Amino acid sequence: MSKFGNLILIGLVSITLLLCSLSQFKVFSFERSNHLSAVLPNKIIGKLHSGDIILREGNSFVSQVFRNFSQTEKHYSHSGLIYLLNGNYYVCHILAAEGKRSDKIRLEPLSSFCNTEDNLSWAIYRTEIDTNEIKKEITELLNAKIAFDKEFKLATDDKMYCTELVYKILTKANDNKKFINLTHSNGLDYVACDNLYLNPKTNLIYSNTN
């Protein structure tokens, strides 16, 4: 039964990713019209740290599917970590290939990640983990150019899905002391969006709904 459940879950994700690549969804682009002040108030922008967890709620069919992987709070569909570079804010995250978009880990401008055209809401959370340690782990994975894990295997590190990326960076930066719980469903352990912020060591910094 557990093996069958795993196949159903992986099959659902694979079909979803295929539909995403074949659909008419807008292709990812760094050329977003939104400026950072359009998605975040100035009083928040100056207080953001590298390593802050950022989650968003997309408005696409694929986003609806991924929200359902969360068992407690089915709100967000994608996640990443804020990364401050040369005075500019980026989000380190990873997505499946779509159109001209690569499936490799990337730094995307924060204004683009939270753009109001494709997202209904977003939120930023913070842990007490040392910022420099988180940046070191992010840099290491960016240099490794890891790809999106279409099989959603938590045990492997050469490929990762979005929430797995956040989970593993924060865990390693925390001296491998785990504080983020996993979701267990149909015999499979995985990291859902709500696992990243529904824990005692993660605090809300800002949330927004369009």
Side-chain angles (χ1 to χ4, degrees):
M1 181 64 181
S2 294
K3 185 176 181 180
F4 180 68
N6 290 349
L7 292 175
I8 292 176
L9 182 60
I10 293 173
L12 174 62
V13 173
S14 299
I15 292 172
T16 300
L17 293 174
L18 178 61
L19 288 172
C20 176
S21 63
L22 295 177
S23 70
Q24 296 301 312
F25 295 151
K26 295 179 177 62
V27 174
F28 169 85
S29 172
F30 288 107
E31 302 297 329
R32 293 295 187 186
S33 60
N34 290 333
H35 296 292
L36 190 54
S37 59
V39 296
L40 290 172
N42 290 329
K43 64 179 181 179
I44 295 297
I45 294 174
K47 295 182 179 180
L48 297 180
H49 295 171
S50 290
D52 286 345
I53 303 169
I54 184 164
L55 301 111
R56 71 184 184 192
E57 176 193 8
N59 56 18
S60 69
F61 166 74
V62 174
S63 296
Q64 292 178 25
V65 171
F66 278 103
R67 282 201 297 271
N68 286 324
F69 282 94
S70 294
Q71 299 295 306
T72 302
E73 187 174 284
K74 300 177 184 294
H75 192 162
Y76 301 107
S77 55
H78 186 55
S79 64
L81 289 169
I82 291 177
Y83 189 86
L84 180 59
L85 180 65
N86 298 326
N88 297 310
Y89 288 106
Y90 296 88
V91 176
C92 175
H93 69 123
I94 194 165
L95 286 165
E98 177 189 328
K100 297 180 181 179
R101 183 180 68 195
S102 168
D103 69 344
K104 297 293 191 296
I105 186 174
R106 83 244 1 239
L107 290 179
E108 178 179 356
L110 179 56
S111 57
S112 172
F113 185 89
C114 297
N115 79 87
T116 56
E117 182 179 352
D118 299 326
N119 298 289
L120 301 172
S121 66
W122 51 89
I124 299 171
Y125 288 81
R126 181 171 297 161
T127 67
E128 296 179 356
I129 301 173
D130 184 84
T131 296
N132 291 326
E133 291 299 318
I134 298 176
K135 289 191 71 172
K136 183 174 71 175
E137 299 303 328
I138 290 175
T139 301
E140 187 175 308
L141 292 181
L142 285 170
N143 290 336
K145 298 180 180 179
I146 63 169
F148 183 83
D149 187 359
K150 296 179 181 178
E151 296 182 346
F152 290 77
K153 292 182 178 179
L154 192 59
T156 59
D157 293 334
D158 58 327
K159 296 181 180 181
M160 299 182 191
Y161 52 93
C162 70
T163 47
E164 177 187 5
L165 177 73
V166 175
Y167 168 77
K168 288 186 173 178
I169 288 175
L170 294 180
T171 300
K172 194 169 181 180
N174 194 41
D175 293 326
N176 290 316
K177 297 175 183 177
K178 297 180 180 179
F179 64 95
I180 298 172
N181 294 324
L182 300 178
T183 294
H184 183 81
S185 179
N186 295 317
L188 181 68
D189 287 326
Y190 62 90
V191 187
C193 281
D194 60 350
N195 293 136
L196 298 178
Y197 63 93
L198 294 182
N199 64 74
K201 291 192 175 183
T202 305
N203 300 305
L204 177 67
I205 299 299
Y206 175 77
S207 64
N208 178 86
T209 301
N210 288 337

